[in-house]
Amino acid sequence: MSTRAFITGVSGPELTAEERAFIRAERPWGFILFKRNVVTPGQVAALVGELRNAAGAPDAPVLIDQEGGRVQRLGPPHWPVYPPGAVFSTLYDIDSALGLTAARLSARLIAADLLDLGITVDCLPLADVPVAGADAVIGNRAYGTEPGKVAAIARAVTEGLEQGGVLPVLKHIPGHGRATADTHFKLPTVDTSRDELMRTDFAAFKPLSDLPMAMTAHVVFSAVDPAHPATTSATMIEQVIRGAIGFQGLLMSDDVSMNALAGTIAERTRAIVSAGCDMVLHCNGNIDEMRDVVSQTPELTGKALERANRALAGRKAPQPLDRVAARTEVDALIARANTATA
């Protein structure tokens, strides 16, 4: 069955009749969950089933942002607390093998939590490289400030997710680390030279260009396109994301409802599609905005469809996991990182 090239959120812990009818009629490719959609494990699993039933697609991808630290949609009392990316960075500096092991095991445990619920995609890893003076929206979510280390830890996180049967989404391509504003509220402009960006920000993404999916940054890079953020810039997508970085997977926008983007929701959606994003992401569950997104979103066809199918086909069966042993090892490594920074 054909689908439209968008991923949608919904308003609460269960579908409303209006949302169910919308999903049946408009056929989103996938769904994304937030804290407002989460109460208990049984309820989340039921909602995931409801979404797929409404879409008539038993394998429709269901996404979530489960990073650890500040960005964790599933949390206590039903799910463990996971560390922010900076913990892996600290461990990597002590012993690179320890840092990569902790990152991989933590992601493997997250994947097990997600798969229990039927969630098959995690918006992780980050390859953003923060700099001094940048907005704190990335902050300790990052895996460090050196591109090679960031890429290595991001790869370990990817491996952990994939070993658990969960697909990764690389973010925020081609880099959010230099942004001086939180793109939920304002559009930041980065005035760094293209050569320096290639050496730092873009360099962290290049070794990860084989990942199946990536999410764009609502950030203007004036050295490449001074008029548009990467999400709505054909120049950025063609020259940098697809070109210099070499990413050939499914490219989705960051949330179309974030205030970094200008214009109405329909105008933003049209700009995202025109720039070359394969998929429009809408997160807030506002049904009127969802209809505006649909009004400008095409059927998923051509190369975008090929990339979407290739991404989903790459999902692996989960490998065996001793959760107790893995959790004990991760906790011990986290304690070592906390001791090092105390």
Side-chain angles (χ1 to χ4, degrees):
M1 185 178 75
S2 64
T3 59
R4 285 190 181 272
F6 77 109
I7 297 164
T8 190
V10 293
S11 62
E14 57 186 31
L15 288 183
T16 66
E18 190 174 19
E19 287 169 340
R20 190 174 290 106
F22 172 86
I23 291 167
R24 284 175 179 161
E26 304 301 347
R27 311 175 320 283
W29 180 74
F31 305 94
I32 187 165
L33 302 184
F34 288 85
K35 283 188 176 181
R36 66 177 183 272
N37 306 120
V38 172
V39 182
T40 66
Q43 168 270 323
V44 176
L47 176 59
V48 168
E50 270 196 286
L51 291 166
R52 290 184 171 130
N53 287 338
D59 296 322
V62 177
L63 293 69
I64 198 166
D65 290 283
Q66 188 74 350
E67 297 178 12
R70 288 179 288 127
V71 181
Q72 184 168 325
R73 313 307 186 197
L74 307 173
H78 300 293
W79 297 276
V81 172
Y82 288 95
V87 168
F88 310 133
S89 176
T90 298
L91 281 168
Y92 188 97
D93 290 341
I94 297 169
D95 181 327
S96 61
L98 288 181
L100 298 179
T101 295
R104 189 178 298 108
L105 275 179
S106 183
R108 178 65 185 87
L109 286 163
I110 287 173
D113 292 345
L114 300 187
L115 213 60
D116 285 346
L117 306 171
I119 298 169
T120 50
V121 182
D122 194 4
C123 298
L124 197 65
L126 280 75
D128 303 308
V129 182
V131 298
D135 187 270
V137 66
I138 298 299
N140 72 354
R141 297 163 66 190
Y143 305 137
T145 57
E146 193 280 312
K149 179 170 81 168
V150 169
I153 296 174
R155 176 65 68 182
V157 169
T158 297
E159 290 168 354
L161 292 176
E162 291 179 336
Q163 288 166 8
V166 169
L167 288 169
V169 177
L170 176 64
K171 61 189 188 186
H172 304 84
I173 199 167
H176 204 300
R178 292 181 187 271
T180 53
D182 183 341
T183 52
H184 290 87
F185 309 109
K186 186 178 178 182
L187 176 64
T189 296
V190 169
D191 290 324
T192 306
S193 72
R194 184 166 183 157
D195 286 348
E196 179 67 6
L197 290 168
M198 287 296 301
R199 192 184 66 80
T200 55
D201 303 56
F202 303 166
F205 287 88
K206 192 173 178 64
L208 304 164
S209 62
D210 62 315
L211 266 62
M213 292 181 277
M215 181 186 295
T216 60
H218 294 336
V219 177
V220 171
F221 296 89
S222 63
V224 183
D225 183 347
H228 305 94
T231 302
T232 59
S233 170
T235 301
M236 283 297 303
I237 290 173
E238 292 169 10
Q239 292 187 12
V240 176
I241 294 174
R242 299 295 192 195
I245 291 172
F247 177 73
Q248 297 304 316
L250 180 75
L251 186 65
M252 67 182 70
S253 72
D254 203 346
D255 183 10
V256 65
S257 65
M258 290 163 67
N259 288 328
L261 300 184
T264 65
I265 295 295
E267 289 168 342
R268 297 174 190 183
T269 302
R270 186 164 59 249
I272 288 167
V273 173
S274 297
C277 284
D278 299 316
M279 196 72 59
V280 179
L281 177 65
H282 182 264
C283 294
N284 66 21
N286 180 309
I287 193 73
D288 292 328
E289 289 189 9
M290 289 155 65
R291 292 193 177 99
D292 288 340
V293 169
V294 165
S295 74
Q296 302 299 320
T297 302
E299 295 283 331
L300 187 59
T301 59
K303 289 185 178 179
L305 176 60
E306 291 174 12
R307 288 190 279 258
N309 288 342
R310 188 166 64 244
L312 296 186
R315 191 164 78 86
K316 300 175 175 64
Q319 297 178 12
L321 174 70
D322 182 334
R323 292 197 196 193
V324 174
R327 185 77 215 185
T328 299
E329 185 173 357
V330 168
D331 287 344
L333 290 170
I334 292 169
R336 183 167 178 177
N338 290 339
T339 300
T341 57

